[in-house]
Amino acid sequence: MSDDGYPSDGITSISTSTVPKHQHGEETPSMNFDYLKYNFKSLSRQASHENLASLSSANAEILERRFHMPNEEGLQHLKNTSPVVSKKFHKVLIANRGEIAMRIMRTAHELGLKTVAIYAYEDRLSMHRYKADESFQIAPEGKHTPVGAYLAQDDIIDIAIRRNCDAVHPGYGFLSENADFARKVEAAGLKWVGPKPETIDALGDKVKARAVATECAVPVVPGTDGPIDKLSDAHTFCNEHGFPVIIKAAMGGGGRGMRVVRSADELDSAFERARSEALSAFGDGTVFIERFLDRPKHIEVQLLGDGQGNIIHLFERDCS
């Protein structure tokens, strides 16, 4: 137990017989439950002006150490750009689930922001539902599949509007690389926490990303010129370039919608499975094909921008 009486691990045991039943759209303030409580103290949930100042000073020191930014300048930077200080938004809907959603909630609460969770009917007992200030079932039972609920763009935006949210954070996976969803969020008057739709269009779609790389004279492995939706096109590519190949979902990531094919006998079934999985996971069954490289090095360089013209890279990391 912590000194404020909350369990030190953030959760006690849960008995399903004690979990209250909630109807679609009913608020579930997690602080009211005895069996599930935050590890965050109330000051991080309802930050006073004094707390905001101390948080800003602490973050300014981090800026000074990491980016050699003078403390006073760092503090002013935070005042201009931080949602905690400037109050550009105060409530964010998290369009994701599970651990991803809870990590976003933790940071949001530390910044003094309120959070709204969404969940599929099948996730009604999931942890992320109870970690948020408010939580809502995306749609009535049976309207969507368990995964499809988190791809229901209009239902998700409707919840954000009805609950007076200022922003939508997509996390990663699901709709995070869907430019159309980002545009809908912005068209609804909400802040999209993520890359601009134009950036997602260019790089979130791997087919378009290949084209950008080619235009920039970056070497790429042999691949189809664009997305393919006919099995005959897959056979044509493989007959020209040989095996092994990899069928990739154009959208999303995390290895979903990918199939390695090492012979012509495997191509037909792998093509259909990749398309089906991509459609189920990302709401888009578009795929393309590349030559497959055995045991390659997968190196990423991630970029972070604050929407104020400040961009840094987070160095390279080996994701092999």
Side-chain angles (χ1 to χ4, degrees):
M1 299 288 288
S2 61
D3 56 8
D4 59 3
Y6 288 174
S8 58
D9 60 357
I11 179 173
T12 61
S13 59
I14 299 177
S15 169
T16 55
S17 62
T18 64
V19 177
K21 295 181 179 179
H22 296 276
Q23 302 299 318
H24 168 55
E26 185 177 351
E27 291 188 22
T28 58
S30 55
M31 290 297 287
N32 292 336
F33 295 122
D34 293 331
Y35 59 88
L36 185 63
K37 294 180 178 177
Y38 287 113
N39 237 342
F40 304 114
K41 296 180 184 292
S42 59
L43 68 85
S44 66
R45 301 288 304 280
Q46 297 177 339
S48 65
H49 292 296
E50 292 79 7
N51 292 330
L52 290 177
S54 64
L55 283 172
S56 299
S57 298
N59 284 329
E61 291 176 7
I62 293 174
L63 284 173
E64 181 182 16
R65 289 198 304 271
R66 292 188 179 178
F67 306 113
H68 308 292
M69 190 179 286
N71 188 275
E72 184 176 346
E73 182 182 346
L75 183 57
Q76 187 61 46
H77 173 81
L78 281 163
K79 287 181 178 179
N80 291 339
T81 63
S82 171
V84 178
V85 178
S86 64
K87 291 296 181 182
K88 290 182 179 178
F89 56 85
H90 70 279
K91 184 190 283 191
V92 57
L93 181 143
I94 301 167
N96 217 296
R97 64 182 295 279
E99 178 193 8
I100 300 167
M102 290 196 296
R103 287 186 176 195
I104 298 167
M105 289 173 194
R106 181 176 64 186
T107 300
H109 289 149
E110 289 174 348
L111 291 172
L113 304 176
K114 290 190 174 182
T115 57
V116 174
I118 57 173
Y119 61 92
Y121 172 78
E122 291 78 5
D123 273 343
R124 61 194 180 280
L125 299 181
S126 290
M127 180 79 72
H128 76 280
R129 172 187 178 184
Y130 298 103
K131 284 285 188 180
D133 296 286
E134 305 170 33
S135 60
F136 298 89
Q137 188 171 309
I138 297 168
E141 179 183 3
K143 180 178 179 181
H144 303 296
T145 64
V147 173
Y150 297 97
L151 300 174
Q153 301 182 25
D154 294 339
D155 288 338
I156 292 171
I157 292 174
D158 181 60
I159 292 173
I161 293 173
R162 286 192 291 109
R163 300 314 304 167
N164 297 315
C165 294
D166 307 295
V168 173
H169 195 311
Y172 61 86
F174 291 125
L175 293 169
S176 64
E177 297 185 33
N178 190 308
D180 289 338
F181 180 60
R183 290 190 182 95
K184 285 184 178 181
V185 168
E186 293 182 342
L190 302 166
K191 177 69 176 178
W192 168 255
V193 183
K196 294 180 179 179
E198 295 78 13
T199 304
I200 298 175
D201 262 335
L203 299 176
D205 182 332
K206 297 183 185 67
V207 174
K208 293 180 180 178
R210 276 182 58 91
V212 171
T214 300
E215 289 175 7
C216 295
V218 175
V220 297
V221 298
T224 54
D225 293 332
I228 58 173
D229 54 15
K230 295 180 181 178
L231 187 57
S232 59
D233 293 333
H235 279 285
T236 299
F237 176 84
C238 293
N239 290 337
E240 180 180 352
H241 295 280
F243 293 93
V245 299
I246 182 169
I247 305 171
K248 291 183 176 182
M251 308 301 293
R256 304 294 298 275
M258 293 187 181
R259 289 291 185 276
V260 176
V261 182
R262 298 186 181 278
S263 69
D265 295 339
E266 304 172 4
L267 183 58
D268 292 17
S269 59
F271 183 77
E272 293 304 327
R273 287 200 306 271
R275 291 187 63 192
S276 176
E277 186 174 315
L279 181 61
S280 175
F282 311 119
D284 188 325
T286 302
V287 298
F288 67 104
I289 299 180
E290 291 180 334
R291 275 303 302 267
F292 179 68
L293 302 179
D294 276 304
R295 301 180 65 82
K297 282 290 187 179
H298 178 180
I299 309 299
E300 290 187 358
V301 178
Q302 296 184 333
L303 304 178
L304 182 64
D306 64 359
Q308 305 295 318
N310 302 300
I311 302 175
I312 62 172
H313 71 80
L314 304 178
F315 299 94
E316 72 281 355
R317 64 174 186 168
D318 188 343
C319 300
S320 304

